[in-house]
Amino acid sequence: MSEPVLYSQVYKYDFKVVPIILSFLYGGKRAGFAAVFALLITGLFTGPKLVILAGNYTIFCLLLLAVTPLFHRYRIKGKVIVISLVYLMIPITRGIFLLLKGDYPQTIFEVSSSSIILATLIAIIYLIENMNEQMEMRQELIRREKMDVVSQLAASVAHEVRNPMTSVRGFMQLMQNESLTEKQDMYITISIEELDRAQGIITQYLDLARPQTNPFETIDLTSVIHQSINVMQSYAVLNSIHITHQVEESLEIVGFKLEIQQVLINIIKNAIEAIKSEGEITISAANQSNGFVSIHIEDNGVGMTEEQIKKLGSPYYSTKEKGTGLGLTLCHHIVKQMGGQIVIESELNKGTCFTINLPAKY
C-alpha cells in the first residue's frame, strides 16, 4: 500500500481498498471512515492525483454503507458473492471506459490487478469468518460446559433441598397463626418470601436440567403473545407502565407452547423491572421474508452496555440485584431448542429491545 504500482501519471494500483472494505464490514462506520482518512493522508505521499483517489474512496464508502447490512445476513459464500459484486463495480466501469478509449494494454493491466486485489480480499474475508466461527464455537463450548454443570447440580441436589425447604415454609406459616408481635410477623413474612424465591431458583435449575422429550406442536403464536401480555398486564399497571402491542394475525410456529409462553413472560417481566415505573413497553410480531417470525419486545428502561449484552444469558450473570441469570439462560435454551435465536440491542439510559426469531410454520 505504501508503494503503489503506477501505470501512468493518472492511474495507480494498490491494495488500499482492502482495509477500507474490511473496516466498514467488520468495524462499522467509524472504523471505515477512519481508514479512509488515514489512507487519504498516506495517498499524499505515495502518488499523484489525490482527487481521483478521493473520488474512488467516496464511491466505495457510499456502496459499503448501503451493502454492509446485507453482507451480514449471509454466511461465508453469500458474503463473498456480495462483496465481490460491490468491489467489481468500479473495475468493470473503469475497464469499459478504457476499452472505449482504445487503451487495451491498460485494460489488461486493470483486469489482472483487480483480480489480484479481489483474490486478496476474498482470502482475508475467509480468514476473518473462520476465526469468528472458531471463537463462536469456543464460546458455545464454554456455554455448554456451564450448562452441564448447572444440570448436574440440579439433578443431584434440587429434590433433596426442596423437601426440607417445604417443611420449613409450612412450620413458618403455622407460626403466623400464633400471637406474634408486628416485628416477628414481618420477619416470618420475609423468610417465607425468600424461601419462595429459593424455590423459584431451584425450579429454574430443574427446567434447565430436564431434557425436552415432548414432540413439537403447531402453535398459534398470535394467541400465545396476547395471553402472555394479559398475564403481565396487571404487573405493568402496578408499576405505572403502559404496554402497547401490534401483533400480526395468524402467526404460526412449530415448537413448545408452554415454553415459548414462559420465554415471553420472562422477557416482558424483565422489561417492566428495567423501567421500574412510568414507562412504556412496545411488543410487535410479524412474519419475515427469511422464513422466520420475529417478536420484538422493546422498553424505554435503563438499558445496558455492550459488555453487559455479551454476558447476558450466561448462567449466574444478571443485571438485577437479586437476579441469578437463570431466567434468560432458560429463555435462550428454549428458543435454541426450537431452532430460533434471541437478539438483544440496547443503549444505556435509553432502553432495550429483545428480538426473538423463531422458524415459521410452512
Side-chain angles (χ1 to χ4, degrees), residues 143 147 204 207-208 210 212 216 219 253-267 313 326-342 356-359:
R143 192 191 69 82
M147 292 293 291
Q204 289 179 335
D207 287 339
L208 284 170
R210 189 182 297 120
Q212 184 56 252
F216 280 2
I219 301 169
I253 60 170
V254 176
F256 314 114
K257 182 178 179 179
L258 292 177
E259 281 80 355
I260 197 61
Q261 188 167 17
Q262 184 179 359
V263 169
L264 293 169
I265 289 172
N266 201 328
I267 293 176
L326 292 175
L328 276 178
T329 303
L330 185 59
C331 290
H332 281 279
H333 183 64
I334 291 168
V335 171
K336 194 163 187 179
Q337 276 189 321
M338 294 171 60
Q341 182 188 30
I342 296 177
I356 306 166
N357 295 315
L358 295 165

Side-chain angles (χ1 to χ4, degrees), residues 28-60:
K29 295 177 184 177
R30 290 184 181 180
F33 286 118
V36 170
F37 180 75
L39 291 173
L40 280 174
I41 297 299
T42 307
L44 288 171
F45 307 100
T46 57
K49 298 295 181 183
L50 185 64
V51 175
I52 294 175
L53 190 66
N56 286 340
Y57 289 171
T58 301
I59 294 170
F60 269 118

Side-chain angles (χ1 to χ4, degrees), residues 163-229:
N163 291 333
M165 284 175 64
T166 304
S167 300
V168 171
R169 191 185 191 284
F171 284 123
M172 284 186 171
Q173 284 179 308
L174 288 172
M175 287 174 65
Q176 279 187 316
N177 296 328
E178 303 295 327
S179 298
L180 302 172
T181 65
E182 186 178 339
K183 188 170 285 188
Q184 287 172 331
D185 187 64
M186 180 186 72
Y187 290 155
I188 291 175
T189 301
I190 291 171
S191 299
I192 290 173
E193 287 175 355
E194 290 303 305
L195 281 171
D196 289 340
R197 194 168 76 86
Q199 287 271 26
I201 292 169
I202 291 171
T203 301
Q204 289 179 335
Y205 272 114
L206 289 172
D207 287 339
L208 284 170
R210 189 182 297 120
Q212 184 56 252
T213 55
N214 296 330
F216 280 2
E217 58 179 323
T218 300
I219 301 169
D220 180 357
L221 187 60
T222 302
S223 175
V224 171
I225 294 171
H226 285 304
Q227 288 171 12
S228 303
I229 293 170

